[in-house]
C-alpha cells in the first residue's frame, strides 16, 4: 500500500505521463459555470490548481494506465478553457454580461470579478458580489449584423496597457472579448470564420436539422490548432494568404469567389489573427501547466476513500463504490450480458454525462441493480430509471446495489467485503438475473398483503420511513427466506409461512427502529441476520413480545418519551412511522387514486401553541403523538393549518373525525392549544389499543 504525491499532466499533455482515464463511474458533475470561471481565473493567473486523486492500475501491460478517482470537475474545466465560447459562457454566468454590452462594460465586469475573486480568501468561490446571468439562449433581439460594427477598436487586439496587471488575466479577457458579442446566430469568433457560403466542406461547419449551417466553436478551435501546427510558424508570421490556403486546401476557386474570399479574410483579419494568436498561447499555457496528484497503489477501497477524505475535507467523500470503478476485478467485461443490463448501464452513463462503454462490466451489475428492482413499499422511489439532477438519490441507488449484491453472495456488506467480492466469491455468474429475480419475487409476494399495499398506495416505504439499512435488511432477509423455502409461487404452506415471516419482519423492524437498534452502522447486524437465516435459524422472524410493544406505546403516549428520551421537541420521524403503521392496522382507505398520498397533520395547529408560555407543560405537547393525525393529502390541504372548529364542510368534518379520533361534537373543544391535555386523554388510549391488541389481531403477528 502506498500513496505518493506527483506532478501530473493536464488533459492536454499526455506524452510525458502514463495514460490517465476516467473509470466507468465518476460522480455526476457538481460544478457550475461560476466555479469553472473561478478555475479559469486561477489557471490564467498561473496559480496552483489543487490536487487530483489517481489510482494506479493493478494490471500489468505494455502501457501503464491510471484511473482518475477525484478531480473530474477540475479536469473537465481544464479541457473547457481551450474553447473560447465555453470560457465566454463561464464569464457570462459569473459576471452577468449581456450581448448588448460594450467592450468597456465587459472589461469593467471582468475586472470586478477579478477583484472579488483575488481580493478575498483564494479558496472561496466568486460569490454574491457577482450578478448571476439568466439561463437560456442569448437574446433573440440582438442584431447579428451589429457584430461587425461594435467594438471597431478590437480588430487590433487589446491596447498595450495591461487592464489587470497580469499577462495571464489579460489573455483571459482577450478570449472573452474575442467571442463578445454572442447572439443566437453565433459569436464574433465564429462569425469571423463563417466562409461556408464561399467554400464547401469546411470541417468546422455543422449542418443543423433545419438545413442551416453554423460554425461550431469547438471544431473551429481544433481546426485552427491543426492548421497552425501543420504550418509550423508562430502566429506573428502567419498572414491572410496563409489562412486563404488553409480554407481552400488546394481547391481551385472561381475567380469571383477567390476574390470575395480574400476580401472577407482581409475584413475579418483582426479577429482571425487574434484567434490564431490566442490559440497558440492557450496550447503553450496548457503545456506548461501541472497539477499535483495523489497517486494511490496497493490500497483498499476504504483506504482510498479515507485518504481522499483527509486531503479534500471540503469536498464530498468518495464512496467505496466510486473507488471500485477503478479496480481491475470490477472492470472485467460481463460475458453474454443481457440487453436490460446493457441498456441500464448506458442510461447510467448518460445520466452521469459521460459516454457509455460498449457492453457491460461487473461494476455495472450492482451499479444499475435498482433499475431492475420493483418494490416501492420497500425501496420507495429508488427503483426505476436512473435519476437525473438528484445526486443524493443517484448515489444511494449505486451504494444499495453493491450492498445487496455483496450481502447475497458474501453474506456481509462492509466496504472491504464489497471491494473483494469478485475475488472472494469466484463462482458468481455475472450475467445471471437469479438474484434480482429472487429479490423481485420476494418483493411481489410480500407486497401482495394489505399493510404493504397501503404503504405502496400512500407513497410510503420502509426506506423512507426508516432507513437504508432497514430496507437492505428486509430485502436480503425476505429474498433468502423465499429461496430457502423453495421459491414458492403458488398458495401452500411454504407460501403462507413466507408471507407471515414478511409481516413479522416488518413489525419487528418498526419496533427496533423506534428503540434505536438501527442507529449507526448496521453492517454487522445485517451480516448476522443473513448468517443465521442461511444456517436455518430465523431470529429476524421472531415476533417482538407483546409486553415490549405495549411498553413502547404506553411510554410514548403517557410520558412523551421513548426509552426515557423526550421526542416532542419536533415532529419525530418515529412518531410518523408509528402513526403510518397504525393507519394500516385501522385499515384506513386503500382505494388508489391521485390523492391517496398521506400527510401528517397537527390536529391542534402549531399556530394555537404560540400564545402558550414557553415553560408550560402544554407547550411541549405540540408534537406529541396524540396531536398528530394522518390524513389523505387532498383532505389535509382542506384542513391545512386550520383548527378543527373552522372546518366547514360536513363531509370533511366526518372524515377528519374518523381519521383523527375526535368526534365532530368535540371539534370546538379540541381547537385550542390549552386543550392539548384533553386531546392526549381522548386519543391516547385509542392509540395504545390500536398499536398493541388490534395490531396483533389484524396483522396476525403472533406475539409470544
Amino acid at each position: 500500500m502506498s500513496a505518493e504525491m506527483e506532478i501530473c499532466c493536464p488533459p492536454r499533455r499526455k506524452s510525458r505521463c502514463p495514460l490517465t482515464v476516467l473509470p466507468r463511474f465518476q460522480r455526476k458533475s457538481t460544478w457550475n459555470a461560476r466555479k469553472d470561471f473561478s478555475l479559469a481565473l486561477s489557471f490564467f493567473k498561473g496559480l496552483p490548481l489543487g490536487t487530483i486523486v489517481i489510482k494506479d492500475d493493478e494490471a500489468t501491460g505494455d502501457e501503464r494506465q491510471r484511473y482518475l478517482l477525484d478531480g473530474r470537475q477540475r479536469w473537465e474545466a481544464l479541457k473547457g478553457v481551450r474553447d473560447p465560447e465555453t470560457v465566454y459562457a463561464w464569464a457570462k454566468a459569473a459576471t452577468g454580461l449581456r450581448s448588448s454590452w460594450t467592450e468597456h462594460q465587459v472589461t469593467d465586469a471582468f475586472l470586478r470579478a477579478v477583484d472579488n475573486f483575488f481580493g478575498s480568501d483564494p479558496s472561496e468561490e466568486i460569490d454574491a458580489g457577482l450578478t448571476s446571468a439568466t439561463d437560456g439562449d442569448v437574446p433573440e433581439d440582438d442584431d447579428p449584423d451589429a457584430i461587425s460594427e461594435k467594438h471597431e477598436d478590437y480588430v487590433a487586439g487589446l491596447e498595450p496597457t495591461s487592464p489587470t496587471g497580469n499577462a495571464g488575466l489579460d489573455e483571459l479577457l482577450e478570449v472573452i472579448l474575442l467571442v463578445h458579442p454572442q447572439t443566437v446566430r453565433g459569436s464574433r469568433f465564429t462569425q469571423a470564420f463563417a466562409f461556408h457560403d464561399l467554400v464547401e466542406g469546411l470541417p468546422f461547419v455543422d449542418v443543423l436539422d433545419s438545413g442551416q449551417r453554423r460554425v461550431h466553436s469547438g471544431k473551429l478551435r481544433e481546426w485552427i490548432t491543426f492548421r497552425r501546427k501543420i504550418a509550423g510558424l508562430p502566429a506573428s508570421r502567419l498572414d491572410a494568404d496563409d489562412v486563404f490556403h488553409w480554407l481552400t486546401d488546394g481547391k481551385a476557386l472561381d475567380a469571383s469567389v477567390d476574390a470575395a474570399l480574400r476580401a472577407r479574410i482581409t475584413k475579418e483579419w483582426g479577429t482571425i489573427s487574434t484567434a490564431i494568436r490566442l490559440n497558440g498561447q492557450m496550447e503553450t499555457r496548457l503545456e506548461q501547466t501541472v497539477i499535483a496528484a495523489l497517486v494511490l497503489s496497493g490500497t483498499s477501497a476504504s483506504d482510498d476513500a479515507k485518504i481522499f477524505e483527509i486531503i479534500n475535507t471540503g469536498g464530498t467523500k468518495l464512496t467505496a463504490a466510486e473507488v471500485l470503478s477503478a479496480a481491475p476485478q470490477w472492470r472485467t467485461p460481463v460475458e453474454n450480458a443481457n440487453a436490460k443490463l446493457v441498456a441500464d448501464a448506458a442510461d447510467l452513463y448518460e445520466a452521469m454525462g459521460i459516454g457509455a462503454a460498449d457492453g457491460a462490466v461487473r461494476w455495472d451489475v450492482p451499479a444499475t441493480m435498482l433499475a431492475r428492482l420493483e418494490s416501492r413499499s420497500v425501496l420507495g422511489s429508488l427503483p426505476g430509471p436512473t435519476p437525473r439532477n438528484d445526486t443524493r438519490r443517484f448515489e444511494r441507488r449505486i451504494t444499495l446495489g453493491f450492498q445487496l449484491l455483496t450481502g447475497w453472495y458474501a453474506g456481509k456488506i462492509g466496504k472491504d467485503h464489497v471491494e473483494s467480492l469478485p475475488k472472494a466469491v469466484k463462482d458468481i455468474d455475472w450475467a445471471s438475473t437469479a438474484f434480482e429475480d429472487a429479490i423481485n419475487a420476494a418483493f411481489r409476494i410480500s407486497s401482495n398483503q394489505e399493510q404493504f399495499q397501503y404503504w405502496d398506495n400512500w407513497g410510503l416505504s420502509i426506506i423512507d420511513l426508516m432507513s437504508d439499512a432497514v430496507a437492505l435488511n428486509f430485502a436480503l432477509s425476505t429474498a433468502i427466506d423465499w429461496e430457502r423455502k423453495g421459491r414458492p409461487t403458488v398458495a401452500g404452506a411454504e407460501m403462507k409461512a413466507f408471507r407471515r415471516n414478511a409481516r413479522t419482519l416488518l413489525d419487528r423492524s418498526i419496533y427496533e427502529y423506534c428503540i434505536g437498534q438501527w442507529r449507526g452502522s448496521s453492517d454487522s447486524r445485517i451480516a448476522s441476520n443473513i448468517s443465521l437465516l442461511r444456517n436455518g435459524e430465523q431470529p429476524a422472524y421472531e415476533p417482538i413480545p407483546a409486553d415490549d410493544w405495549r411498553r413502547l406505546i404506553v411510554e410514548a403516549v403517557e410520558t412523551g418519551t421513548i426509552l426515557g428520551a423526550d421526542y416532542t421537541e419536533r415532529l419525530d420521524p418515529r412518531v410518523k412511522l408509528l402513526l403510518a403503521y397504525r393507519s394500516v392496522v385501522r385499515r384506513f382507505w386503500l382505494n388508489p387514486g391521485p390523492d391517496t398520498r398521506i400527510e401528517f397533520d397537527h390536529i391542534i395547529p402549531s399556530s394555537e401553541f404560540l400564545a402558550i408560555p414557553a415553560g408550560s407543560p402544554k407547550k411541549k405537547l405540540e408534537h406529541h403523538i396524540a396531536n398528530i393525525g394522518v390524513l389523505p393529502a387532498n383532505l389535509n390541504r382542506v384542513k391545512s393549518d386550520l383548527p378543527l372548529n373552522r372546518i366547514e364542510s360536513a363531509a370533511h368534518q366526518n372524515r377528519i373525525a374518523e381519521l383523527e379520533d375526535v368526534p365532530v361534537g368535540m371539534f370546538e373543544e379540541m381547537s385550542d392549544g390549552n386543550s392539548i391535555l384533553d386531546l392526549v386523554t381522548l386519543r391516547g388510549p385509542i392509540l395504545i389499543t390500536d398499536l398493541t391488541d388490534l395490531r396483533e389481531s389484524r396483522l396476525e403477528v403472533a406475539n409470544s
Side-chain angles (χ1 to χ4, degrees):
M1 167 180 169
S2 67
E4 301 177 351
M5 291 301 297
E6 290 188 4
I7 299 300
C8 184
C9 321
R12 170 68 185 87
R13 192 181 71 237
K14 294 182 179 178
S15 59
R16 288 163 44 192
C17 295
L19 179 62
T20 303
V21 297
L22 288 174
R24 284 176 77 93
F25 175 82
Q26 275 276 305
R27 166 179 291 126
K28 293 179 74 175
S29 178
T30 58
W31 278 29
N32 56 28
R34 290 160 64 89
K35 293 187 74 170
D36 287 328
F37 187 65
S38 297
L39 184 132
L41 288 170
S42 296
F43 169 74
F44 278 93
K45 193 173 183 180
L47 297 182
L49 299 178
T51 303
I52 62 176
V53 182
I54 291 173
K55 176 80 170 184
D56 253 334
D57 194 343
E58 299 171 23
T60 58
D62 295 335
E63 186 179 46
R64 182 180 171 198
Q65 192 171 72
R66 290 173 166 179
Y67 285 82
L68 182 67
L69 292 183
D70 178 63
R72 174 191 174 192
Q73 324 286 351
R74 191 173 289 109
W75 198 266
E76 294 294 333
L78 280 175
K79 290 196 292 186
V81 298
R82 303 173 70 193
D83 179 20
E85 286 194 357
T86 297
V87 174
Y88 183 84
W90 296 346
K92 182 176 180 180
T95 66
L97 70 85
R98 307 290 294 177
S99 298
S100 57
W101 282 8
T102 65
E103 176 185 333
H104 180 72
Q105 288 174 305
V106 173
T107 301
D108 282 350
F110 177 80
L111 294 178
R112 286 195 300 272
V114 170
D115 288 343
N116 286 338
F117 186 68
F118 295 110
S120 59
D121 185 335
S123 67
E124 294 177 356
E125 300 173 6
I126 300 177
D127 53 18
L130 303 181
T131 304
S132 297
T134 55
D135 293 332
D137 291 330
V138 290
E140 293 277 357
D141 56 356
D142 281 320
D143 181 6
D145 295 329
I147 291 178
S148 299
E149 300 171 3
K150 292 181 180 179
H151 318 311
E152 294 295 339
D153 56 340
Y154 182 74
V155 293
L158 288 178
E159 297 181 8
T161 347
S162 168
T164 67
N166 177 275
L169 293 176
D170 289 349
E171 183 181 326
L172 174 56
L173 177 57
E174 276 197 279
V175 171
I176 295 168
L177 292 174
L178 171 68
V179 175
H180 187 76
Q182 184 178 33
T183 73
V184 292
R185 296 189 183 181
S187 68
R188 182 184 185 89
F189 170 52
T190 57
Q191 289 213 24
F193 288 86
F195 301 112
H196 41 275
D197 59 327
L198 299 172
V199 183
E200 293 292 334
L202 293 175
F204 49 81
V205 175
D206 284 346
V207 180
L208 307 182
D209 292 339
S210 63
Q212 292 182 319
R213 290 181 291 177
R214 181 79 54 85
V215 176
H216 186 284
S217 175
K219 293 178 181 178
L220 175 58
R221 193 270 311 159
E222 292 175 356
W223 180 80
I224 293 173
T225 302
F226 172 75
R227 287 296 181 179
R228 187 177 49 77
K229 289 187 175 182
I230 292 294
L233 296 173
S236 59
R237 294 182 57 188
L238 294 170
D239 57 26
D241 195 51
D242 292 309
V243 174
F244 174 86
H245 291 297
W246 292 1
L247 292 166
T248 56
D249 200 20
K251 300 174 186 174
L253 301 179
D254 180 84
S256 60
V257 175
D258 185 296
L261 179 59
R262 291 182 185 276
R264 183 93 61 82
I265 294 171
T266 300
K267 178 182 177 183
E268 300 289 352
W269 183 245
T271 302
I272 292 172
S273 61
T274 300
I276 295 172
R277 173 174 57 81
L278 289 174
N279 177 271
Q281 291 174 195
M282 175 62 67
E283 296 298 309
T284 300
R285 185 174 294 280
L286 280 166
E287 288 284 352
Q288 296 172 348
T289 297
V290 294
I291 308 173
L294 182 70
V295 182
L296 308 177
S297 59
T299 53
S300 69
S302 54
D303 291 334
D304 296 346
K306 188 62 180 177
I307 292 169
F308 171 78
E309 178 187 347
I310 291 171
I311 69 163
N312 192 21
T313 53
T316 306
K317 294 181 181 179
L318 281 175
T319 65
E322 294 173 68
V323 179
L324 288 180
S325 68
Q329 65 268 27
W330 282 101
R331 296 198 309 272
T332 303
V334 175
E335 296 183 7
N336 303 314
N338 64 77
K340 183 68 168 73
L341 171 60
V342 174
D344 290 340
D347 185 52
L348 174 69
Y349 301 131
E350 180 184 340
M352 291 190 292
I354 61 178
D358 294 333
V361 298
R362 291 174 175 176
W363 187 88
D364 299 332
V365 176
T368 63
M369 181 175 293
L370 267 74
R372 298 180 292 282
L373 299 186
E374 301 169 0
S375 176
R376 291 196 306 169
S377 60
V378 178
L379 297 174
S381 63
L382 290 183
T386 303
R388 269 68 170 172
N389 304 317
D390 189 342
T391 301
R392 170 62 179 153
R393 180 168 165 245
F394 179 89
E395 293 181 352
R396 283 175 74 195
R397 284 166 53 100
I398 292 178
T399 299
L400 279 170
F402 272 89
Q403 291 175 319
L404 283 167
L405 189 74
T406 306
W408 180 260
Y409 285 109
K412 298 178 181 179
I413 63 168
K415 289 182 180 179
D416 290 340
H417 300 102
V418 171
E419 176 190 13
S420 63
L421 178 65
K423 293 181 178 179
V425 184
K426 302 290 188 182
D427 59 350
I428 297 176
D429 181 356
W430 294 92
S432 172
T433 63
F435 167 56
E436 294 165 11
D437 293 343
I439 288 278
N440 281 327
F443 282 165
R444 282 193 297 271
I445 298 169
S446 299
S447 298
N448 192 26
Q449 302 185 81
E450 66 177 17
Q451 60 270 52
F452 296 95
Q453 290 177 332
Y454 276 90
W455 280 16
D456 193 15
N457 286 341
W458 297 343
L460 301 178
S461 66
I462 290 174
I463 202 167
D464 294 325
L465 285 172
M466 290 181 267
S467 68
D468 290 15
V470 177
L472 184 64
N473 182 71
F474 186 92
L476 287 168
S477 297
T478 52
I480 292 169
D481 192 45
W482 183 71
E483 183 165 85
R484 71 177 186 165
K485 284 182 167 51
R487 298 181 168 232
T489 57
V490 296
E494 293 300 321
M495 176 70 82
K496 183 177 180 180
F498 172 78
R499 288 162 60 92
R500 182 182 62 248
N501 283 351
R503 293 195 305 270
T504 304
L505 179 57
L506 175 63
D507 186 80
R508 185 182 187 92
S509 299
I510 293 171
Y511 175 84
E512 290 176 342
Y513 181 80
C514 285
I515 66 171
Q517 289 190 10
W518 286 98
R519 288 179 183 168
S521 175
S522 303
D523 294 358
S524 59
R525 184 179 186 85
I526 294 172
S528 175
N529 286 342
I530 293 172
S531 176
L532 291 169
L533 284 169
R534 286 204 159 133
N535 288 330
E537 303 176 58
Q538 53 179 43
Y541 299 123
E542 292 178 2
I544 298 295
D547 288 345
D548 291 352
W549 257 108
R550 183 170 293 277
R551 274 192 293 270
L552 168 67
I553 304 304
V554 169
E555 180 188 356
V557 169
E558 294 186 352
T559 68
T561 62
I562 295 177
L563 296 184
D566 185 2
Y567 67 77
T568 62
E569 293 297 321
R570 59 191 175 96
L571 181 48
D572 194 290
R574 293 169 297 177
V575 168
K576 291 183 177 182
L577 172 61
L578 288 171
L579 291 173
Y581 195 32
R582 182 251 183 172
S583 294
V584 172
V585 172
R586 289 288 295 270
R587 294 173 176 164
F588 286 148
W589 81 100
L590 184 58
N591 297 325
D595 289 309
T596 51
R597 184 173 56 89
I598 68 170
E599 295 178 348
F600 298 91
D601 166 59
H602 284 80
I603 298 173
I604 299 177
S606 296
S607 58
E608 299 297 321
F609 288 85
L610 296 177
I612 299 177
S616 170
K618 296 178 181 179
K619 183 80 168 181
K620 65 175 295 185
L621 297 180
E622 174 186 345
H623 305 300
H624 188 279
I625 190 171
N627 192 40
I628 307 300
V630 180
L631 298 177
N634 59 343
L635 185 56
N636 195 41
R637 285 195 294 270
V638 173
K639 183 176 182 301
S640 185
D641 195 37
L642 296 175
L644 294 173
N645 62 358
R646 291 184 58 190
I647 305 300
E648 297 179 355
S649 164
H652 291 153
Q653 290 176 351
N654 292 332
R655 191 64 172 136
I656 290 172
E658 176 192 3
L659 298 176
E660 298 194 335
D661 314 300
V662 180
V664 175
M666 298 183 69
F667 274 19
E668 188 69 37
E669 179 183 348
M670 298 300 173
S671 294
D672 187 286
N674 288 305
S675 302
I676 184 62
L677 293 176
D678 296 330
L679 182 61
V680 172
T681 301
L682 173 67
R683 294 192 78 219
I686 300 173
L687 295 175
I688 292 172
T689 299
D690 287 351
L691 285 167
T692 54
D693 301 334
L694 186 61
R695 178 190 118 265
E696 293 175 30
S697 64
R698 288 199 172 170
L699 300 180
E700 300 177 17
V701 178
N703 292 310
S704 57

